[in-house]
Amino acid sequence: MPMLNHLTASAAGLPRYAVSLIDRRTGRPHRISDIPLRLITCEPFEAARDLMRDRDPSLWDTAIHRLDQKGALQ
């Protein structure tokens, strides 16, 4: 699965981002076993593109949030 390489994004000094897949019908993050699907990466646009691969853009969107140094959403 190509998205796994985004999970290794821990390069020193680079900002990190949380990328979520959003269901446009509900406006909420997509969940798997009631856990929101979220990728942590230094390359948010590449991760968003991977999440949207083979998905209908009228039904799905992505949200990108920058993380602080402790990993909390800004």
Side-chain angles (χ1 to χ4, degrees), residues 1-71:
M1 178 179 262
M3 287 186 282
L4 291 179
N5 60 5
H6 296 294
L7 298 176
T8 61
S10 61
L14 293 177
R16 293 181 305 151
Y17 299 87
V19 182
S20 302
L21 183 64
I22 305 297
D23 185 335
R24 287 183 181 265
R25 296 164 286 195
T26 64
R28 302 187 72 175
H30 179 61
R31 294 177 171 267
I32 299 172
S33 297
D34 209 31
I35 299 170
L37 175 62
R38 180 178 291 159
L39 300 178
I40 307 301
T41 182
C42 292
E43 299 173 355
F45 298 107
E46 184 177 327
R49 186 183 67 236
D50 285 348
L51 283 173
M52 288 299 293
R53 184 179 298 133
D54 298 327
R55 295 187 193 273
D56 183 349
S58 68
L59 300 176
W60 299 100
D61 197 6
T62 56
I64 298 172
H65 299 281
R66 189 171 177 161
L67 300 177
D68 66 14
Q69 291 182 353
K70 294 183 179 182

